[in-house]
Amino acid sequence: MKLGPHLHRIGNDIVAAYLVDTDEGVSVIDAGLAGHWRDLLDELGVMGRSLDDVRGVVLTHGDTDHIGFAERLRRDHGVPVFVHAADADRARGGEKPKTPMGPKRVGPMVTFAAYALRKRGWRTEYLTEVTAVADGEVLALPGSPRVIAMPGHSPGSIAVHVPVADAVFVGDALTTRHVLTGRTGVQPAPFTDDPSQALESLARLAGVDASWVLPGHGAPWRGDLTAVPGKVRQAAD
């Protein structure tokens, strides 16, 4: 789905990944679930692009519903995969803390599980090789993605600012559709390692010059980024 100039989304409000399209090629932000591979190919076709145009994958963090087809792109097509150094082990299948589920409702949980099953979440391959990135780094990829450290959901969670797309990709730093409750609107994401740290990290979005806030779960959001921390904190109370 085309969201705007240079900006496309694959997946839906349950699990999403994004493509940045420029004259230099395509950058992929997050890799959804394994079954989003077909969505990737279809969207590239709509864009008049192919896998040969993909220059890199930037992961907002190392959870399985964000790394879905990344290893396939890396292994079979030589596409480098970038992840914050603090989440590199997580993306390779390393141990992660068991976080409490928090509020939940049966309907949304079943919907999420069914979608993950349909998109072959159980077939996700962990990364065998990654390129570690750090806060403030500007990557030599289409759109010149800039890394913004957002620890909390995981130690290496990041936001990715792409000025040409007028967008900041936030992964699970926040959500606009809670996968366990179905509640919509800007709010904290579930399965967060350190909720307090995650809330503190949101202040880093206030100085970002972007209209689009694009989460891994939920609808794209447009508005005043300076209002995001307050909105999420209010939703957390």
Side-chain angles (χ1 to χ4, degrees), residues 1 7 9 22 35 39-40 46 68 75 122 173 175 184 197 223 227 232:
M1 177 200 313
L7 183 59
R9 183 175 84 154
T22 76
D39 301 67
L40 172 67
V46 169
R75 182 192 63 230
W122 47 277
T175 185
T184 58
Q197 186 181 39
V232 178

Side-chain angles (χ1 to χ4, degrees), residues 12-16 18 61 65-66 112 171-172 174-179 189 215-219:
N12 58 15
D13 289 0
I14 301 175
V15 180
Y18 300 90
H61 60 294
D65 53 349
H66 292 257
F112 178 69
D172 286 0
L174 58 84
T175 185
T176 59
R177 183 187 187 278
H178 197 293
V179 297
H217 309 280

Side-chain angles (χ1 to χ4, degrees), residues 12-141:
N12 58 15
D13 289 0
I14 301 175
V15 180
Y18 300 90
L19 310 179
V20 175
D21 185 20
T22 76
D23 291 342
E24 292 74 39
V26 176
S27 293
V28 178
I29 313 296
D30 280 334
L33 298 162
H36 284 119
W37 180 258
R38 174 50 57 186
D39 301 67
L40 172 67
L41 297 180
D42 290 346
E43 194 66 24
L44 287 170
V46 169
M47 294 159 57
R49 295 286 198 168
S50 73
L51 291 172
D52 292 338
D53 296 305
V54 178
R55 302 289 181 257
V57 181
V58 186
L59 302 177
T60 60
H61 60 294
D63 285 348
T64 55
D65 53 349
H66 292 257
I67 70 171
F69 54 75
E71 175 65 5
R72 186 172 182 178
L73 268 178
R74 190 205 66 77
R75 182 192 63 230
D76 297 347
H77 301 277
V79 176
V81 179
F82 300 84
V83 64
H84 191 282
D87 259 33
D89 184 63
R90 196 164 179 146
R92 296 190 193 101
E95 291 295 320
K96 57 178 288 188
K98 304 296 183 184
T99 57
M101 293 182 70
K104 52 189 176 294
R105 293 173 55 213
V106 173
M109 289 176 61
V110 170
T111 298
F112 178 69
Y115 184 75
L117 183 64
R118 180 163 66 88
K119 289 297 184 181
R120 298 189 299 156
W122 47 277
R123 292 286 303 274
T124 296
E125 295 181 71
Y126 288 105
L127 275 296
T128 57
E129 183 178 324
V130 298
T131 300
V133 300
D135 182 40
E137 189 170 349
V138 177
L139 306 181
L141 293 175

Side-chain angles (χ1 to χ4, degrees), residues 198-217:
L199 287 173
E200 291 173 4
S201 290
L202 291 171
R204 307 206 69 201
L205 296 177
V208 177
D209 184 15
S211 298
W212 288 103
V213 176
L214 302 174
H217 309 280

